[in-house]
Amino acid sequence: NFNSRPLEQIWNSSVDQYLMLRSSVLSILRSVAAFGKNHAINLQPVTLPLLDHALDPNNHEHTFLVADSLDLWLSMLRFSTVYDSNWCIIFHRTKQLLQQDLEHLKKLMLITEGYILLGGASFWNNHSSSLELIMKLIIGNISARGAMYANLVLEALLKTVPVEGTSMLLNSGVVATMLRSIAETYNDEDHCEPYEVINMYLTIISRVLLATPNNMRIVAAYADECNNFGFCQVVDLYFQQFNNLYDPPRQKLWTMLLLSLLLPPNLDFICSTNLLTTFNFNRILQCSLNVLQEKATLTPYSVGYDSEEETLTLHVGNHEFLNNALSAKDPCYATDFRAFYLDAMRTFQNTVDAAHFQNLLQSVDKQLLSNLDLAVTVK
């Protein structure tokens, strides 16, 4: 029953020395949007045109309104339960603002994630080209903290449209940019990204390769183009960083990727690169044991990058429900790791040469094998 007409009148009459009143209008609308789930939807006819006007990069007198406008936009998304064509009116402003500078990266990433969670495949179908441009603009050009917010978008995207999202990240060069950053950190080059970001990139690449295993050769080719680096080093980093991840849910995802190296269509390629050594086979089994013993369930990704930085509040309005619902349908989240491991080992044994398999098996520490047998028999 909220009457927005007085606020519209205040907005329209607030010019010249009264322009600051528009900030108050945005704050009031934000409070109303958060009051109930239907308010955000009912306010769309009023709020979206105001936001579009306030965020117009050609409207320089509204520069001071950008932060308040983004807060209102995010609040509207967080408390909405329906995605419709009206939301498309203003999404193009995210790209325009990022093309200007990265000052408002955090809020723009949260807004973009909100669009993916609320709009799903429908949003992707209408805005895939904008998402591609946004990712190309920011990946490799933002701080470590900013990368964590960008990761919220990437995870939401790859959970919503895993195959299509993977294709976009590969074809746009985003994965290649990630691999160049990984190579620079691996080689300890100047101004390289910290391992918090590298581990995020490795997680995204895990999703890419699990969603589309046939793309492993493409990813390997990108890695091999980097200086003093290659796909063997990418795999080595998964092992090196496994215990430094401090994140059992992501360890599950990484281990699923490592086990997939033993399966068609990846097995022939892995054998041709000499990656299937007794040393690596032992490391894959050790990672598998850690995950089996942990029995962790993947949960939605969050940002808590640095104790000196603010921690992101995610569980607001409809956001938590949408994120959990999306995770429940995500194969990487929902997969029974015990069944995945057993199936992978059976398939590997039936595919690889018997003598080679026995040689690999005999190289494994007997205690490790015993612990694995125990772990898979205890449900």
Side-chain angles (χ1 to χ4, degrees), residues 250-293:
R250 267 73 211 170
Q251 288 178 331
K252 173 187 175 184
L253 193 62
W254 286 21
T255 306
M256 288 171 63
L257 172 64
L258 293 171
L259 283 168
S260 76
L261 301 179
L262 306 177
L263 306 174
N266 298 327
L267 184 57
D268 288 342
F269 171 67
I270 294 304
C271 291
S272 70
T273 58
N274 296 319
L275 271 169
L276 190 54
T277 62
T278 55
F279 181 52
N280 282 343
F281 185 68
N282 274 263
R283 294 201 287 183
I284 291 174
L285 294 185
Q286 184 61 62
C287 291
S288 299
L289 177 62
N290 289 353
V291 176
L292 286 164
Q293 290 177 332

Side-chain angles (χ1 to χ4, degrees), residues 50-221:
L50 293 186
L51 289 175
D52 191 43
H53 182 55
L55 294 172
D56 185 346
N58 297 317
N59 195 350
H60 300 296
E61 67 176 3
H62 280 167
T63 302
F64 74 98
L65 291 177
V66 171
D68 287 335
S69 298
L70 294 178
D71 285 338
L72 171 58
W73 191 359
L74 180 59
S75 184
M76 292 275 291
L77 281 168
R78 288 284 174 87
F79 287 95
S80 291
T81 57
V82 177
Y83 179 81
D84 55 38
S85 59
N86 290 325
W87 286 110
C88 297
I89 295 172
I90 57 173
F91 183 73
H92 66 288
R93 297 301 186 197
T94 59
K95 178 179 63 176
Q96 292 176 340
L97 289 169
L98 288 169
Q99 286 173 321
Q100 282 187 317
D101 56 55
L102 300 176
E103 179 183 357
H104 301 288
L105 174 75
K106 168 192 166 182
K107 290 177 183 176
L108 290 169
M109 290 298 96
L110 297 180
I111 287 169
T112 303
E113 182 209 23
Y115 267 85
I116 296 172
L117 293 177
L118 187 63
S122 177
F123 168 71
W124 164 260
N125 291 335
N126 290 309
H127 296 284
S128 57
S129 58
S130 294
L131 282 174
E132 178 179 334
L133 179 57
I134 288 171
M135 290 297 105
K136 289 171 68 175
L137 278 171
I138 64 176
I139 297 299
N141 297 314
I142 52 180
S143 68
R145 176 170 168 251
M148 296 301 170
Y149 284 96
N151 189 54
L152 295 175
V153 175
L154 290 168
E155 282 236 332
L157 175 66
L158 293 176
K159 286 188 289 184
T160 302
V161 284
V163 175
E164 297 88 343
T166 287
S167 178
M168 183 270 281
L169 294 177
L170 286 170
N171 295 333
S172 65
V174 171
V175 169
T177 299
M178 290 180 178
L179 286 165
R180 284 194 294 272
S181 293
I182 292 171
E184 290 169 0
T185 300
Y186 185 87
N187 293 321
D188 197 24
E189 296 181 18
D190 292 339
H191 310 297
C192 62
E193 300 200 76
Y195 271 104
E196 290 90 346
V197 175
I198 298 309
N199 290 343
M200 182 199 83
Y201 290 163
L202 290 172
T203 300
I204 293 301
I205 292 171
S206 295
R207 285 190 167 278
V208 165
L209 292 177
L210 284 169
T212 56
N214 288 322
N215 283 320
M216 183 165 288
R217 291 179 185 270
I218 296 175
V219 172

